[in-house]
Amino acid sequence: MKTTLLIALSLTLTSTTFAADPEKDPVNKKVDAAVKKALGYLAKTQRTDGSWGIRGGAGNPAITGLSVMAFLSAGHVPGEGPYAKTIEKGIRAVMKFQAANGLIADNSGHEMYHHGICSIMLAEVVGMTQGKLATEVRKRVEKAVKIILTAQRQNSSSYHYGGWRYRVSGSDSDISVTGWQVMALRAARNIGCDVPPKRIEMAVNYIKRCQDKSTGSFRYSPRGHRTIPCTGTSILALELCGKQHHLSPEVKKAGAYLLRYPIKWSYRTSHNYFYYSLYYCSQAMFQLGMNYWKVFRKQMHDALLNNQSSTGAWVRTWGSDSRFGPNYGTAMCVLALTVEYRFLPIYQRGNESIKKE
């Protein structure tokens, strides 16, 4: 498949290894079946304009980006296979949301959430495809990167220095929004976009300022509250910022913190943002590998494989992120389950360093 070839050629990363042999690990058959069923659900719920929304509402840029990535993460690409048209329509729907200045968002007031997520998706498309569409999308990514760099907080006297928040303009920051931007910059850098090392260094220092040294967990902001999803976000962001951060004392302590709080479908408090926690913690623990991933993988499978609805969706009626609807939840679950497939370039276990200027 050209997907695997392109990933191998475009990234200086570890060799691609997909999920284990189903005969040796029977759970993979269940994972593959769950993913297939979930993608069928997403294909059926795509709007005629190519977007996905919240419970039948207007098209939502972030949910559309996540839904497209769900297909990509399972090895489907535009231009080939059963979901070729579904994926390309989704990509073009996101591009329609992009303004002339490069910002990808709607008018919901959380523009950098939309922008970061959609920028990641577009960069992954470039890393997994070739030809006219890839060329067109690359130009969109280059414009998107400029917005991310503009939005990074640059007041060196502020404890928000190096972070991002909901809007391009402003002076505040949080780990949640910052995580999406770091992922977007890494994905863009993977396809050759110019990302100044100084900006990555700023982001890394910001993330480290958010860590609670006593527990290893990470705070929502440098002076905010500790959360499980922010801990997963921070581990992943640091891991993506260069091999010097892989299994560093900071991330190992954070990984140990996550192991103390198993992710469960029934949780209503500790994993208040269940899907968000699942998405980031799955990638974080996969990057750490070893027992971190082994333990989390089983927890994730227990939570998801027993709770998928007959439609193929994952639907929760409690928790803060349940309000975003089944398209959001289903896309996030697929992205978590397929992390070990390693089709998405961002899912590779990287080993490249980011040199200082």
Side-chain angles (χ1 to χ4, degrees):
M1 182 183 291
K2 71 179 183 182
T3 299
T4 305
L5 176 61
L6 286 170
I7 292 175
L9 292 175
S10 64
L11 299 174
T12 308
L13 298 168
T14 55
S15 60
T16 303
T17 304
F18 301 105
D21 184 345
E23 294 183 1
K24 295 180 180 180
D25 188 359
V27 73
N28 287 324
K29 288 185 177 180
K30 296 180 180 179
V31 171
D32 292 344
V35 168
K36 182 177 180 180
K37 195 172 181 180
L39 294 182
Y41 171 82
L42 288 174
K44 290 177 182 177
T45 55
Q46 186 178 33
R47 291 163 49 86
T48 55
D49 64 0
S51 67
W52 281 266
I54 301 174
R55 291 193 175 90
N60 181 288
I63 294 176
T64 302
L66 291 168
S67 297
V68 171
M69 277 204 293
F71 287 96
L72 299 176
S73 73
H76 299 284
V77 293
E80 61 182 67
Y83 295 118
K85 292 183 179 179
T86 299
I87 298 169
E88 182 163 354
K89 284 177 63 180
I91 294 168
R92 295 198 176 280
V94 165
M95 291 195 293
K96 288 179 181 177
F97 281 111
Q98 188 171 34
N101 68 352
L103 179 66
I104 310 171
D106 59 13
N107 59 1
S108 65
H110 294 75
E111 59 192 27
M112 290 309 294
Y113 267 121
H114 292 288
H115 186 80
I117 291 169
C118 291
S119 297
I120 296 167
M121 182 275 285
L122 294 177
E124 299 297 85
V125 168
V126 176
M128 296 178 70
T129 59
Q130 56 187 342
K132 184 177 179 180
L133 178 62
T135 300
E136 183 180 357
V137 173
R138 179 183 292 274
K139 294 177 182 178
R140 302 299 189 111
V141 176
E142 290 171 351
K143 294 179 69 174
V145 167
K146 292 179 181 178
I147 290 291
I148 295 173
L149 296 177
T150 297
Q152 190 175 26
R153 305 316 189 207
Q154 299 182 53
N155 180 358
S156 60
S157 63
S158 169
Y159 62 86
H160 293 292
Y161 179 61
W164 286 265
R165 185 64 164 163
Y166 295 152
R167 293 188 175 277
V168 175
S169 60
S171 58
D172 54 351
S173 64
D174 69 62
I175 279 290
S176 179
V177 177
T178 296
W180 291 112
Q181 313 315 313
V182 171
M183 284 189 72
L185 290 178
R186 173 55 194 262
R189 190 173 183 275
N190 282 346
I191 63 170
C193 292
D194 183 25
V195 178
K198 170 71 173 177
R199 298 306 193 90
I200 300 299
E201 182 183 355
M202 287 165 56
V204 166
N205 290 336
Y206 171 80
I207 293 165
K208 288 183 176 181
R209 289 199 302 275
C210 292
Q211 187 168 33
D212 176 61
K213 304 301 181 183
S214 63
T215 64
S217 62
F218 283 81
R219 302 178 183 278
Y220 179 69
S221 63
R223 298 180 182 178
H225 55 287
R226 304 188 305 267
T227 79
I228 289 171
C230 286
T231 300
T233 301
S234 299
I235 292 172
L236 179 62
L238 290 174
E239 286 279 327
L240 293 180
C241 286
K243 66 180 181 181
Q244 67 271 34
H245 301 294
H246 178 54
L247 292 177
S248 66
E250 291 93 346
V251 300
K252 286 171 70 176
K253 193 169 185 179
Y257 177 84
L258 292 182
L259 288 178
R260 296 200 295 271
Y261 295 93
I263 191 162
K264 296 181 180 180
W265 182 261
S266 60
Y267 269 15
R268 297 170 184 266
T269 53
S270 296
H271 287 280
N272 195 26
Y273 287 89
F274 175 82
Y275 296 121
Y276 188 78
S277 296
L278 182 74
Y279 174 82
Y280 267 115
C281 291
S282 64
Q283 293 187 69
M285 299 303 244
F286 181 71
Q287 288 288 331
L288 295 182
M290 302 184 297
N291 201 51
Y292 298 102
W293 172 241
K294 181 179 179 181
V295 172
F296 183 87
R297 181 177 185 264
K298 185 179 186 307
Q299 294 170 358
M300 175 177 65
H301 290 163
D302 289 344
L304 297 185
L305 298 182
N306 297 321
N307 291 288
Q308 187 177 25
S309 73
S310 60
T311 66
W314 278 276
V315 183
R316 285 165 61 91
T317 57
W318 65 93
S320 297
D321 55 357
S322 64
R323 68 185 186 277
F324 298 124
N327 287 332
Y328 167 79
T330 302
M332 293 291 258
C333 289
V334 169
L335 287 165
L337 287 172
T338 55
V339 63
E340 62 186 328
Y341 287 12
R342 302 194 195 182
F343 278 114
L344 281 178
I346 204 72
Y347 279 176
Q348 304 296 313
R349 283 196 177 110
N351 62 359
E352 64 176 13
S353 63
I354 296 179
K355 298 179 181 179
K356 295 183 179 180
E357 289 181 323

